[in-house]
Amino acid sequence: MLEAVAGNLPKAFREAPIVCGLVLGSGWGDVLRPEALHARLPYAALEGFGASTVAGHHGELLLMTLGGKRVAAFSGRRHYYEGCDLGQVVYPVELLRCLGVPAVLLTNAAGGLNPGFAPGTLMAVEDHLNLTGVNPLRGPHRPEWGPRFPDLSRVYDPALTDLLVRSGEDVRRGVYAFSVGPSYETPAEVRALRALGGDAVGMSTVPEAIVAHAAGLRVAALSCVTNPAAGLGAEPLSHAEVLAASEAAKPRMAALVAAFLRGLP
Ligand code: HPA
């Protein structure tokens, strides 16, 4: 089905190789400052995907030149907590693979577990914790999408992660803990995730990263820490706070993404 969707995209998507795919999370929707926009497609035009239902999430597939590279950007993602199936959550990375895209940059907003990661911290994901019981590869094995039991020792490509850290922006390295949501974590869960090695916690990215890595794509991921995780700050958590913090970090997020793309081979 996805091969057919890829085949029916506007011709611009197949005219020249796409160097990288982007999946933009909460607050990352308008950080892209393309040098040229080649095509834009509402998610409604992508069969089997469906529109994002979350405030702060756009719903468009953009084909652009950014940082001198041809990139396909999913502006807005689907989350497992929306009630959709994981097939919809990983749809962007699967479609990118059908287009022959070799690498993806996944972005998200996250709560800070590491006490050194104040709101506004940009974190390159080096590894993840997935203690949710949710795995996008559950189900019948699809051999063309990777092995039955994929190795996850290096989900996040070390060279791409280095590229993020050396972008010229202040970028920290850390472990992203996946939480299904949509409720935020409890303070006890936050203490547990921190004790287990998590630096930031969020409700996305991990399903896409697993599928992309298993299928042979190079994966990089980037978190914008928008709040101290539950129990670590003075205020109750709110989505408005998340969006406000990412708004303030936007110029740095934009510069970082452009520098990363410029540095890609
Ligand atoms: N927890 C989970 N997801 C999040 C958070 C958080 O504190 N902040 C932004 N996304």
Side-chain angles (χ1 to χ4, degrees):
M1 195 271 274
L2 276 165
E3 282 82 1
V5 175
N8 287 328
L9 291 178
K11 208 163 85 256
F13 282 91
R14 276 162 285 115
E15 266 168 4
I18 298 169
V19 174
C20 189
L22 305 180
V23 179
L24 303 175
S26 291
W28 288 84
D30 44 9
V31 305
L32 305 181
R33 313 271 187 277
E35 288 107 55
L37 185 60
H38 307 297
R40 61 195 308 167
L41 212 64
Y43 284 173
L46 298 174
E47 192 191 339
F49 192 25
S52 175
T53 61
V54 190
H57 278 269
H58 305 239
E60 270 190 316
L61 171 57
L62 307 166
L63 180 69
M64 60 178 68
T65 299
L66 177 59
K69 300 294 185 320
R70 204 171 173 85
V71 242
F74 283 84
S75 184
R77 63 150 58 82
R78 307 302 312 275
H79 303 79
Y80 186 58
Y81 65 69
E82 293 172 62
C84 47
D85 66 47
L86 281 165
Q88 285 168 284
V89 175
V90 302
Y91 185 107
V93 293
E94 295 198 341
L95 189 61
L96 290 166
R97 183 173 183 259
C98 291
L99 289 167
V101 180
V104 288
L105 174 63
L106 309 170
T107 63
N108 59 62
L113 299 170
N114 183 326
F117 289 7
T121 301
L122 298 174
M123 183 187 94
V125 178
E126 280 202 316
D127 201 352
H128 71 232
L129 280 168
N130 177 17
L131 308 174
T132 62
V134 168
N135 193 301
L137 299 175
R138 177 172 176 270
H141 181 219
R142 301 176 301 165
E144 67 283 14
W145 289 88
R148 172 75 288 193
F149 303 109
D151 171 63
L152 296 188
S153 339
R154 282 182 172 211
V155 175
Y156 304 90
D157 187 281
L160 295 188
T161 306
D162 285 349
L163 205 53
L164 288 170
V165 174
R166 293 205 222 95
S167 64
E169 296 301 314
D170 185 10
V171 178
R172 316 291 293 271
R173 296 173 183 268
V175 172
Y176 177 89
F178 178 43
S179 166
V180 165
S183 54
Y184 291 108
E185 301 68 38
T186 64
E189 288 162 353
V190 165
R191 287 192 297 274
L193 292 172
R194 178 63 186 152
L196 293 171
D199 292 294
V201 56
M203 304 175 195
S204 69
T205 302
V206 164
E208 295 104 302
I210 292 174
V211 166
H213 175 69
L217 276 76
R218 299 177 76 191
V219 179
L222 202 48
S223 299
C224 177
V225 174
T226 52
N227 55 280
L232 301 180
E235 303 294 327
L237 306 193
S238 76
H239 190 53
E241 173 193 17
V242 168
L243 294 181
S246 50
E247 190 62 41
K250 228 156 242 182
R252 287 184 297 121
M253 294 151 85
L256 172 54
V257 172
F260 171 79
L261 294 171
R262 263 195 304 278
L264 283 179

